[in-house]
Every structure is written in C-alpha cells, then in structure tokens.
Amino acid sequence: MKELQDISRLSDRFISVELVDESLYDWNVKLHQVDKDSVLWQDMKETNTEFILLNLTFPDNFPFSPPFMRVLSPRLENGYVLDGGAICMELLTPRGWSSAYTVEAVMRQFAASLVKGQGRICRKAGKSKKSFSRKEAEATFKSLVKTHEKYGWVTPPVSDG
C-alpha cells in the first residue's frame, strides 16, 4: 500500500499504476518515459505509443521476495525483453533482489535497461500483433534464471550507468 501511495505522489509522471481486479498483489504499470535520446523513445513517438504496459505480481512475502514483472504491450524486441514479455534483469531474481528496492527504483532500472539493450517496438508484420502470454513469460524467466545461475550475470561497467 505504501508503494502505491509513493507512486501516486511522483511529480514527473514517470509511471502510473492500476490495480488488476482491485488486488494489491497484481498491478498494471504504465511506463510513460524512457530516455528521450533513445531509439525506443523515437519508436514510441512514431507509433503513437504513449506508454509501455507492464504487469507486476507481488508474492505474499513482498518486499522480501521480488515481484514477477513482464511486459504486456507493445511487443518489444531486444532491451532484455524476451519471449512472453519476460524481463532479463538480475534484480528481479531472488538472488539479485533486495527488500530495500522500491517499485519506482525497479521501474527506473528497467527503463534504463530497455534503452541500454537497444529495445525497440516490434513492427514486423504479424509478429507485432501477437500478444505476450504470462505462461510463456514465466517459462522464459525460469529458464533465464537457471542459465544465469549456472553461468553468472554480466555486470556492466560503472561507465555504462
């Protein structure tokens, strides 16, 4: 509840939140801003995309465990967004999560990762209309966590932000 109140007080309209079926454990989050110098921002302008819609599902023991976060729309390519809208970010895993993280901080990190990973709005005929599914996102996320646990995560240089 505190997280929801903190987001409603953000002055920069970076994100906005709607509860899914009035549940405090299931949020749809609209990411309204990414780096205005990025190709993704340009894509958003060219396609009249006002926001990137994500879904966050919080476990009962939040903030001690991370939320499951996935992209709903638009369909994105690259930017660490994988099949089903799964997001490849260490901080969304149990090992990478800290109870000190706020939803706002996670969303700001996600926005930076999208740009850093050269995320683009998919415009390929047929593929751009296919929606992401939760089942596919969960399977993809589970697989990527297993891969990174085996091979490690690459930590970008400090100079990369």
Side-chain angles (χ1 to χ4, degrees):
M1 187 59 132
K2 180 187 178 315
E3 289 271 351
L4 198 55
Q5 290 169 337
D6 290 348
I7 289 169
S8 68
R9 291 188 196 111
L10 288 176
S11 60
D12 63 0
R13 287 268 307 145
F14 171 66
I15 56 173
S16 58
V17 174
E18 294 173 4
L19 300 179
V20 177
D21 297 328
E22 298 182 32
S23 170
L24 287 173
Y25 295 97
D26 196 4
W27 298 10
N28 281 342
V29 178
K30 293 177 181 176
L31 173 62
H32 298 277
Q33 298 172 23
V34 296
D35 183 340
K36 290 183 171 53
D37 294 327
S38 69
V39 289
L40 180 57
W41 181 255
Q42 192 62 43
D43 284 354
M44 290 175 75
K45 292 294 159 212
E46 289 172 8
T47 60
N48 295 316
T49 302
E50 294 179 29
F51 53 82
I52 296 168
L53 183 63
L54 298 107
N55 178 260
L56 275 73
T57 307
F58 298 91
D60 291 339
N61 63 343
F62 180 82
F64 303 105
S65 291
F68 177 69
M69 185 166 120
R70 67 187 180 105
V71 174
L72 297 179
S73 68
R75 191 168 185 92
L76 300 174
E77 301 177 306
N78 305 324
Y80 307 104
V81 176
L82 307 173
D83 292 344
I87 298 165
C88 182
M89 275 177 43
E90 186 176 16
L91 68 79
L92 292 173
T93 68
R95 185 185 294 178
W97 180 254
S98 165
S99 60
Y101 292 145
T102 63
V103 171
E104 178 192 358
V106 170
M107 294 305 297
R108 289 192 188 277
Q109 183 63 45
F110 172 67
S113 293
L114 270 178
V115 170
K116 174 89 180 115
Q118 300 173 358
R120 302 290 306 260
I121 292 177
C122 180
R123 300 189 202 194
K124 293 181 184 131
K127 194 172 182 183
S128 65
K129 301 291 181 227
K130 185 177 179 254
S131 32
F132 286 136
S133 79
R134 180 180 179 93
K135 188 175 181 179
E136 188 179 20
E138 287 174 342
T140 301
F141 186 75
K142 189 176 180 181
S143 174
L144 77 85
V145 168
K146 199 180 274 187
T147 299
H148 284 296
E149 283 177 352
K150 185 173 182 178
Y151 298 106
W153 290 83
V154 176
T155 304
V158 177
S159 62
D160 287 350

